[in-house]
Amino acid sequence: MNRRSFFTAVGATAASAATASMAQTASSAATRAVLGGPAGAKPPLFQGSARMTPLRGYHGQDVACERAAIEGKVPQELRGVFYRNGPGLFERGAGTNKQRYSHWFDGDGLVHAWRFTDQGVSHQARFVQTKKFIAEQSANAFLAPAFGSALPAHMPVRNSDDVNTANTNVYKLGDRLLAMWEGGSATDLDPQSLHTRGIVTWSPELKHMPFSAHPKIDPDGTFWNFGTMMGKMVLYHLSPTGELLKHAVFDAPTGGMVHDFAITHKSLVFLLPPIGIDYAAMRKGAAFGQALTWNGNDSTKVLIVDRNDFSKRRILEMPAFMVFHFGNAWEADNVIRVDFVQSKNLDIMSDWMPRMMRGETVVPDRSNPAFVKIDLNRGKCDVAMRDENCEFPRVDPRVVGLRNRNVYYPVDNGDRPEGFGFTGVMRIDTESGKVDRYNFSEQVALEEHVVVPRPSSGREGDGWLVGVGFDVAAQQSFATVFDAMNLAAGPQAIIRLPYWTPVCFHGHFHTA
Ligand SMILES: [Fe+2]
């Protein structure tokens, strides 16, 4: 398949997946709290519990808080911007025309900036002004097909970026703030104002190509990424300022969805779960996400690509399992070690998430820390799993692709609570196996936490673990700051907003 037919296929997938007033910025913190918070009207299509308030989403409004309330003390060296991104709008229309997405992944991207300065911590969140968002705000109706909701197209869908929600991750590369969504291009935002500048095209032949939301940033500052769609795979290597250094397009070993990957100093490493696509279901109107199939009798494939020569690729096989997210990988003596979070199959995405979006309080399947050793000499993979119930693994950015000792996760105290969100944070020392952990109460729903290095320090773990959560009783969102090597001591600071925000997927902290 050449680039043009691949491009056409991407657009066709998006289209068949389901067959303006601009957001206004409120003028005061009090007004903003009402707009986004508990005083807002309860959407009739969503009857979730108090824990699930953030899944109601916003209605397209931006929010801002100039001075968040700080409990404890924010370290003086912790300065910069914590950017986050996630689906922020799930409902449109009114009365009998009210619509709600049936999948969490479908919401329009809402990009957050928590700014840590000498004056305190501020928060701002703005919807990414994608083509789809602008048209749907104006119409007050869903017009475009979505990943997991079977909606007809009421606007032209010619390529993946016509349905791009820019809702999954955000990273500042050079002077661009990239809002990423794995099905299409990255969207360029102004890092200061969060104003949307437009779709990024790395080179003419890569226009509208998929660009995953899980790039890996080498400690040398270069940026590695991939994209998959319709049986094809794209690899990207970008400079620290965002110029395309090289790319490749080739046949993917699997046809379905690939969400994340890992790098070592020599290789790009993919674990490709046995996910297929039911094209007959799509022809009958199923959304792309609804047409994904779990082929549990097939294998999870291990794809290893030479960083210096994308044409050098090797495939190994493991028994079937599902993986969304990786912590890190490193390579020595022809053995690659990869840590990730493993789940049994696609049920979390295909069953739990739609039920959660309807407001059902359902406990999801477990997902556990896993560690695989890939012996390149023997062509064998050995995996070890732990019991903790967690997701969103992250490592210190100074050791990405290099030998790391620590992996960080949001984690549950025991059984996962009903609804979404974790109740604690955890660091696993991969050499000793010891766990450093802090548990909040079950009245907290935590998201991903990231490691922020202490400036001028090169030692892994020297810095802070920073993340976001939702206080169920107060119905407010907050940020956390922990000593990254002593989570058990509890948060050094909790930074509270006077409102709640929708749940994010991922983000990065950009040190000042
Ligand atoms: Fe992700």
Side-chain angles (χ1 to χ4, degrees):
M1 188 186 284
N2 61 27
R3 192 205 73 82
R4 178 160 294 281
S5 57
F6 177 35
F7 158 88
T8 307
V10 168
T13 302
S16 61
T19 53
S21 63
M22 304 292 280
Q24 295 182 350
T25 302
S27 58
S28 72
T31 309
R32 286 161 189 148
V34 170
L35 277 173
K42 195 172 189 179
L45 295 182
F46 183 74
Q47 303 296 322
S49 67
R51 186 179 184 86
M52 298 169 84
T53 299
L55 291 167
R56 291 177 182 167
Y58 282 179
H59 301 290
Q61 77 274 24
D62 299 340
V63 293
C65 171
E66 288 173 12
R67 187 73 61 88
I70 297 174
E71 297 168 9
K73 194 166 186 320
V74 175
Q76 199 161 14
E77 294 170 281
L78 180 60
R79 296 289 182 266
V81 187
F82 185 28
Y83 292 110
R84 303 270 300 151
N85 191 2
L89 185 148
F90 303 112
E91 298 183 355
R92 290 197 181 277
T96 55
N97 291 325
K98 192 107 178 169
Q99 299 169 287
R100 180 172 170 87
Y101 281 137
S102 48
H103 205 284
W104 188 26
F105 290 0
D106 295 342
D108 296 280
L110 179 63
V111 169
H112 302 238
W114 297 75
R115 298 178 196 279
F116 289 66
T117 69
D118 290 344
Q119 285 70 50
V121 180
S122 67
H123 173 263
Q124 173 191 20
R126 295 188 77 175
F127 278 91
V128 184
Q129 304 290 306
T130 60
K131 183 186 284 187
K132 167 190 177 298
F133 179 83
I134 291 170
E136 292 183 339
Q137 277 294 98
S138 177
N140 194 22
F142 293 135
L143 303 176
F147 167 85
S149 302
L151 294 167
H154 292 299
M155 57 185 275
V157 179
R158 292 158 299 213
N159 57 61
S160 57
D161 289 326
D162 285 337
V163 294
N164 192 332
T165 56
N167 73 358
T168 314
N169 201 350
V170 62
Y171 184 80
K172 185 171 176 288
L173 183 67
D175 64 359
R176 294 176 173 123
L177 183 65
L178 302 176
M180 291 168 281
W181 175 73
E182 72 188 40
S185 305
T187 302
D188 178 18
L189 312 181
D190 181 314
Q192 288 302 317
S193 66
L194 307 184
H195 167 75
T196 301
R197 293 166 171 163
I199 289 293
V200 180
T201 300
W202 304 107
S203 72
E205 68 271 26
L206 291 172
K207 195 169 187 181
H208 304 308
M209 296 281 255
F211 187 81
S212 108
H214 282 285
K216 292 295 173 287
I217 291 77
D218 199 286
D220 70 9
T222 65
F223 181 108
W224 300 86
N225 204 5
F226 74 99
T228 59
M229 191 71 84
M230 300 297 290
K232 288 284 170 179
M233 200 154 189
V234 198
L235 303 179
Y236 304 84
H237 189 206
L238 306 174
S239 76
T241 48
E243 290 86 26
L244 183 67
L245 299 174
K246 64 177 174 180
H247 72 279
V249 181
F250 55 94
D251 289 331
T254 56
M257 190 187 87
V258 184
H259 185 67
D260 191 3
F261 77 132
I263 63 170
T264 74
H265 73 289
K266 293 169 75 173
S267 308
L268 311 182
V269 184
F270 298 85
L271 301 183
L272 307 170
I275 301 171
I277 301 171
D278 182 348
Y279 291 101
M282 286 174 63
R283 282 192 292 275
K284 289 179 188 164
F288 179 73
Q290 294 169 330
L292 294 175
T293 58
W294 180 254
N295 306 326
N297 292 327
D298 202 348
S299 59
T300 286
K301 294 190 171 56
V302 180
L303 169 65
I304 300 151
V305 184
D306 187 323
R307 275 174 46 148
N308 295 318
D309 182 351
F310 288 164
S311 71
K312 290 184 180 166
R313 300 189 292 271
R314 183 172 177 187
I315 296 174
L316 303 172
E317 291 188 295
M318 299 174 68
F321 60 81
M322 180 61 198
V323 50
F324 284 104
H325 296 120
F326 294 83
N328 195 32
W330 57 277
E331 187 166 355
D333 302 327
N334 240 13
V335 176
I336 297 176
R337 290 154 207 269
V338 189
D339 71 79
F340 60 100
V341 171
Q342 177 171 331
S343 44
K344 201 168 50 185
N345 52 35
L346 269 182
D347 283 357
I348 288 177
M349 190 180 82
S350 57
D351 180 57
W352 175 68
M353 287 182 190
R355 295 176 73 177
M356 183 178 74
M357 282 295 287
R358 291 196 293 270
E360 295 179 30
T361 48
V362 186
V363 178
D365 283 348
R366 297 178 69 84
S367 48
N368 306 96
F371 302 85
V372 64
K373 260 192 229 178
I374 305 168
D375 186 328
L376 297 172
N377 292 332
R378 292 166 54 231
K380 297 279 185 201
C381 305
D382 295 308
V383 68
M385 274 178 71
R386 295 180 59 110
D387 286 338
E388 292 90 354
N389 203 0
C390 62
E391 246 298 351
F392 305 118
R394 295 293 291 244
V395 297
D396 189 317
R398 291 168 290 205
V399 296
V400 169
L402 305 175
R403 181 169 185 165
N404 66 296
R405 183 157 181 172
N406 302 297
V407 190
Y408 297 81
Y409 315 76
V411 65
D412 280 320
N413 293 344
D415 287 334
R416 193 168 282 187
E418 294 177 336
F420 83 96
F422 295 87
T423 50
V425 289
M426 163 176 81
R427 172 176 63 90
I428 295 179
D429 179 329
T430 61
E431 290 182 17
S432 69
K434 287 184 180 165
V435 168
D436 171 24
R437 177 169 177 161
Y438 181 80
N439 296 327
F440 289 89
S441 79
E442 298 235 331
Q443 289 297 300
V444 160
L446 289 184
E447 303 180 22
E448 177 189 68
H449 278 53
V450 306
V451 180
V452 185
R454 187 187 306 279
S456 73
S457 168
R459 187 158 46 90
E460 182 190 351
D462 188 6
W464 306 277
L465 187 70
V466 178
V468 168
F470 171 61
D471 180 330
V472 177
Q475 294 281 290
Q476 290 174 334
S477 296
F478 61 85
T480 63
V481 179
F482 290 86
D483 176 341
M485 291 305 288
N486 191 3
L487 306 185
Q492 296 176 321
I494 294 283
I495 303 153
R496 287 183 178 276
L497 300 179
Y499 45 81
W500 60 264
T501 71
V503 190
C504 292
F505 288 137
H506 302 291
H508 283 84
F509 194 106
H510 291 267
T511 304

